Each structure stands twice: as C-alpha cells, then as structure tokens.
C-alpha cells in the first residue's frame, strides 16, 4: 500500500507539474528579440556581466515561449490523459477481486414448500489483488518513463526543425546578399567594358555569375519554404522563437548508457513487467476457495448450512500458458539487450562527433567568419581597381561563399548531433529545464546585485 501511495503521488505530481509549468512560463516570460544563433560563436567568454545577463534573459525567453506552446500540443495533452489513466488503473487494482454472491431458491412441493437463501464469498487465497497492485504500480512507472522519453523526442524534433529553419534563413539571407552584390558588380562591369577597362568575355563571366547566384537564391528560398512548413507543422502555429543552444553543447550534460538512462529505463521496466505478468498469471489461474452460508426453511423446519468449494485443476493445469508467459520474459530481455546495444553505439558516435565538430567549428570561426567580410571588401576593391582579373575575383568569391556555407552547415550539424542524442535518450527536457532554471536564478542574483 505504501508503494501504491508513492506511485500515486508521483503521477499526481507529474499531472500538476504540467499545468504549473504553464503558469510559471507565463509569469517569467521575458521580453526582447534574439540575435541569430548563427551570428555568434559557440563559446564566447568575452561578454561583460551586463551582456551575459541580457543573453540569459533572452535565452530564457525563447525557452519559455517554446514550452508554453509545447504543452498545448495534442500529443502532449494525450500524455496527460495517459497519466490520469495510469492513476485510475492503480486505484482500480486496489479494489477487491471477488464480490459476494447472493442466491435465492424456492421449491414447491405438494406437502411442504422449500425456501433457501445462500450467501457465498470467494477468498483471494492466491493474492490476486496483490499481484494486480504490483503490476499496476510498474505499469504506472512505465507510463511515466515513456512519457518522459516521448516528450524529449518531440521537443528534439521541434528544436531540430527550428535549427534547420534558422540555418535556411541564414543561407537565404547570404544568397540574397551575394545576388545583390553580383548584380551591382555586373553593372560596374558593364561600365568598365564601355570604357575598355575589361574585355567582353569578362563581362560574360560576370553575367554567368549573376545567373548562378540567382539560381542559388531560388534554391535557398525553396529550402526555406520547406523548413518553414516543417516548423509550423511541428509547433502547430506560425510564431517561431529564435533559439540559441550555444551554452548547452557539452558532453558533461549527457548521461551515459546505464539502466537509469530514460530511454533504456523503459526497456528494463518491460523486462520487470514480463516477470510480474507471469506472477499475475499464476495468481489468476490459481484455485481460490469459496465459502457459502445458507438458510433453508422446509415446511416448519429451519435448516442452516455451511459449505466450502475448491476448484480442481485436473483437466487443465495451465502448463502451456505458463510456458508462453515465460517466453515473454526472454523476449523482453533480448529486446532490452538490443536497445542497450543501439543506445551504446549512438552514445559512442555522440562522444566522438561532438568534440571534433566543436573544434572544427571554432577553427572555422577563427579562419573564416571573422575575416570573411574584410576579405570580401578587399577583393571587391582590388577587382574594381584592376589589381586582380575578373576570373580571379569570381573564383575568390566562390571560395568565400563555399567557406561560409560550410560553416553554417557545420554548426547545424553540431546542433543536430546533440539534439538527436539528447532527444532519443530521453534527457533533453530535463537538461533544458535544469539549465534554464539555473540561468534564471543566476540572472535574478545578478540583477539583485
């Protein structure tokens, strides 16, 4: 009974937390727009205290906004019903297994009529009720675990879609900028051809460059439309927060593959469930005795009776049913091992990929992002003054464009690896909640000081 109370309390807490989180989000919702995640480094320690406070407040804002809409999703609302259902099943399992039976009999005879009334009660000798309670407790725990994993997976899909949208927004803006620059340079090339500064073939190269940029812009626009549609489908509305995950890309936040890992915990609980189901089957198929008490009046005579009946498992001892139930244990164990192996391989990929991606991204920031704009302006000026040829100018432009796009894809790939693992392993929501609650406390302390 104590364990049942603990599980019931856990379910009630989970049900109340989901409603309380919405009220909390509405209370602490911060104002202000966010800068794009692709316009600043992953790790930047040069912020002042005031700048760090602003970043934290903005970060808290997008997370609160996202979670406010997240709780309203139909699949999340369905999880609320699942938790309530588990709570009701747990309560139902604590009810008595057998109800008493009341029997009334009347017999008419030429001399004396016979009236009989009997009350019988089957005794839960095999503890069917206890087995049902234990099974309901575990099923409730499995429901909580599965809901936690599913919430992280849904949240991961949303964040991945938003990251992809921000990536495509950045690429579209970059391609628009390149297209505008190419058209401006083409106009200048036409003027230079008129004065004989460059040859006609160089003008044709500039026109081809404009055409290539126009095609790239069109493709970037189509990719942006697809990304927007995906985000709107997953979020259920068109209000998309601009997210920043810079401070979260760390290996230390991720839990290793242990039985306590949320995604693996559910598989382990399925093994325990299969074992409990065998025990419940044994209890359900066990013979429980029935005790009956009867009163009979035959003519002027009163009679009392006491009876005991015990079912005999002679024609069917349920051996095959027990054997089939035991096989389900082996199936659950093998499923657990397969899940553990798959998660371990995913964890190994995660631990190898993230450090390398971080290093490569930081290298890209130092080599390309910081000097890209200066190099673009310098090369453009050299071409206008005739210091470099048109072909060299166009080749340099393509090289810088390729480098920029590679960096944007690299950052998106970094986020994708982190979000995929954290979502599939069931850790994402918990990590985000802990991180942003800590940041909120730090922001409050900083403002108080």
């Amino acid at each position: 009974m104590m364990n049942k109370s603990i599980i019931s309390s856990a379910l009630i807490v989970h049900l109340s937390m989901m409603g309380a989180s919405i009220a909390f989000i509405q209370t602490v919702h911060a104002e202000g727009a966010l800068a794009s995640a692709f316009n600043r480094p992953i790790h930047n320690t040069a912020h002042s205290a005031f700048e760090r406070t602003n970043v934290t407040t903005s970060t808290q804002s997008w997370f609160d906004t996202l979670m406010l809409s997240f709780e309203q999703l139909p699949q999340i609302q369905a999880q609320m019903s699942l938790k309530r259902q588990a709570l009701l099943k747990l309560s139902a399992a604590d009810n008595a297994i057998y109800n008493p039976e009341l029997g009334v009999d009347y017999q008419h005879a030429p001399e004396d009529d016979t009236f009989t009334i009997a009350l019988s009660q089957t005794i839960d000798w095999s503890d069917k009720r206890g087995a049902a309670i234990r099974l309901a407790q575990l099923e409730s725990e499995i429901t909580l675990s599965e809901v936690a994993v599913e919430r992280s997976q849904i949240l991961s899909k949303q964040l991945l879609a938003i990251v992809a949208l921000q990536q495509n927004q950045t690429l579209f803006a970059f391609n628009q900028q390149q297209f505008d620059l190419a058209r401006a340079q083409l106009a200048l090339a036409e003027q230079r051809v008129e004065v004989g500064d460059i040859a006609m073939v160089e003008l044709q190269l500039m026109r081809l460059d404009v055409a290539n940029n126009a095609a790239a812009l069109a493709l970037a626009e189509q990719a942006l439309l697809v990304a927007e549609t995906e985000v709107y489908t997953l979020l259920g509305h068109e209000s998309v927060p601009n997210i920043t995950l810079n401070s979260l890309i760390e290996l230390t936040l991720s839990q290793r593959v242990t039985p306590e890992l949320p995604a693996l915990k559910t598989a382990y609980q399925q093994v325990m469930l299969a074992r409990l189901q065998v025990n419940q089957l044994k209890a359900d198929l066990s013979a429980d005795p029935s005790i009956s008490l009867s009163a009979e009046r035959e003519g002027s005579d009163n009679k009392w009776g006491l009876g005991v009946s015990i079912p005999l498992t002679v024609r069917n001892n349920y051996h095959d049913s027990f054997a089939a139930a035991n096989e389900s244990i082996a199936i659950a164990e093998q499923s657990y091992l397969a899940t553990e192996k798959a998660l371990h391989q995913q964890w190994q990929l995660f631990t190898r990929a993230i450090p390398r991606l971080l290093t490569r991204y930081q290298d890209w920031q130092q080599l390309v992002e910081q000097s890209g704009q200066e190099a673009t302006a310098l090369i453009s000026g050299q071409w206008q003054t005739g210091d470099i040829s048109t072909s060299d100018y166009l080749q340099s432009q393509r090289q810088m464009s390729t480098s920029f796009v590679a960096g944007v894809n690299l950052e998106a790939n970094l986020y994708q690896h982190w979000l995929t693992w954290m979502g599939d392993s069931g850790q994402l929501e918990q990590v985000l909640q802990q991180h942003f609650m800590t940041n909120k406390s730090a922001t409050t302390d900083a403002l108080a000081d």
Side-chain angles (χ1 to χ4, degrees), residues 147-216:
V147 165
V149 173
E150 186 179 358
R151 283 173 65 91
S152 284
Q153 291 173 344
I154 295 173
L155 188 58
S156 173
K157 290 179 180 179
Q158 287 188 338
L159 291 175
L160 283 171
I162 296 175
V163 166
L165 175 60
Q166 293 181 177
Q167 176 196 19
N168 282 282
Q169 287 172 339
T170 301
L171 292 176
F172 176 75
F174 175 75
N175 280 282
Q176 182 69 62
Q177 181 185 26
Q178 293 297 101
F179 177 67
D180 293 340
L181 176 62
R183 286 197 304 178
Q185 297 294 67
L186 176 61
L188 182 59
E190 290 173 347
Q191 296 176 6
R192 294 180 65 182
V193 167
E194 291 179 359
V195 299
D197 191 17
I198 60 175
M200 180 61 68
V201 66
E202 295 181 90
L203 178 62
Q204 297 300 329
L205 290 177
M206 295 296 292
R207 288 173 177 171
L208 289 175
D209 183 61
V210 172
N212 290 335
N213 279 282

Side-chain angles (χ1 to χ4, degrees), residues 117-404:
I117 183 170
L119 183 65
S120 63
Q121 174 67 59
T122 302
I123 307 300
D124 187 12
W125 194 266
S126 57
D127 195 21
K128 291 181 173 63
R129 180 180 178 182
I133 291 175
R134 289 188 291 272
L135 189 65
Q137 288 173 346
L138 183 56
E139 287 178 341
S140 299
E141 293 178 3
I142 291 175
T143 297
L144 296 179
S145 299
E146 289 179 342
V147 165
V149 173
E150 186 179 358
R151 283 173 65 91
S152 284
Q153 291 173 344
I154 295 173
L155 188 58
S156 173
K157 290 179 180 179
Q158 287 188 338
L159 291 175
L160 283 171
I162 296 175
V163 166
L165 175 60
Q166 293 181 177
Q167 176 196 19
N168 282 282
Q169 287 172 339
T170 301
L171 292 176
F172 176 75
F174 175 75
N175 280 282
Q176 182 69 62
Q177 181 185 26
Q178 293 297 101
F179 177 67
D180 293 340
L181 176 62
R183 286 197 304 178
Q185 297 294 67
L186 176 61
L188 182 59
E190 290 173 347
Q191 296 176 6
R192 294 180 65 182
V193 167
E194 291 179 359
V195 299
D197 191 17
I198 60 175
M200 180 61 68
V201 66
E202 295 181 90
L203 178 62
Q204 297 300 329
L205 290 177
M206 295 296 292
R207 288 173 177 171
L208 289 175
D209 183 61
V210 172
N212 290 335
N213 279 282
L217 179 61
L219 293 176
E221 185 177 24
Q222 292 302 310
L224 178 59
L225 293 175
V226 173
E228 289 175 344
T229 303
E230 181 70 14
V231 168
Y232 300 157
T233 301
L234 290 174
L235 268 66
H237 56 79
E238 297 185 359
S239 178
V240 181
N242 194 351
I243 67 171
T244 54
L245 300 172
N246 301 348
S247 58
L248 288 172
I249 309 299
E250 298 178 7
L251 292 176
T252 55
L253 292 174
S254 177
Q255 182 180 342
R256 293 180 177 272
V257 180
T258 65
E260 294 302 318
L261 187 70
L264 191 58
K265 185 178 181 180
T266 56
Y268 180 73
Q269 287 173 330
Q270 291 295 334
V271 178
M272 298 173 60
L273 180 64
R275 293 172 179 171
L276 281 182
Q277 286 174 338
V278 172
N279 293 333
Q280 188 189 34
L281 181 63
K282 291 179 181 179
D284 290 342
L285 297 181
S286 297
D288 290 331
S290 297
I291 299 177
S292 62
L293 180 65
S294 62
E296 180 178 324
R297 181 177 178 83
E298 184 177 358
S300 59
D301 296 332
N302 294 326
K303 300 178 181 180
W304 300 90
L306 179 66
V308 177
S309 63
I310 301 176
L312 300 178
T313 56
V314 176
R315 300 184 62 187
N316 185 1
N317 60 4
Y318 306 108
H319 174 75
D320 293 335
S321 299
F322 292 141
N326 284 321
E327 286 299 323
S328 65
I329 298 178
I331 294 173
E333 289 175 344
Q334 293 303 316
S335 178
Y336 169 81
L337 294 176
T339 302
E340 182 184 34
K341 181 179 179 181
L343 285 172
H344 185 72
Q345 291 175 342
Q346 193 173 358
W347 161 256
Q348 290 294 333
L349 174 61
F350 174 75
T351 55
R352 291 197 300 266
I354 290 297
R356 290 174 172 83
L357 284 172
L358 271 175
T359 302
R360 301 298 179 266
Y361 180 72
Q362 290 168 351
D363 291 342
W364 174 83
Q365 285 182 318
Q366 295 175 1
L367 298 175
V368 178
E369 186 183 49
Q370 298 177 2
S371 59
Q373 293 181 351
E374 297 178 1
T376 300
L378 180 63
I379 293 174
S380 178
Q382 288 180 336
W383 175 77
Q384 293 176 16
T385 58
D387 292 338
I388 60 174
S389 65
T390 301
S391 58
D392 290 338
Y393 165 74
L394 294 176
Q395 183 179 0
S396 299
Q397 284 291 95
R398 284 192 294 269
Q399 183 178 359
M400 285 187 294
S401 297
T402 301
S403 299
F404 180 82

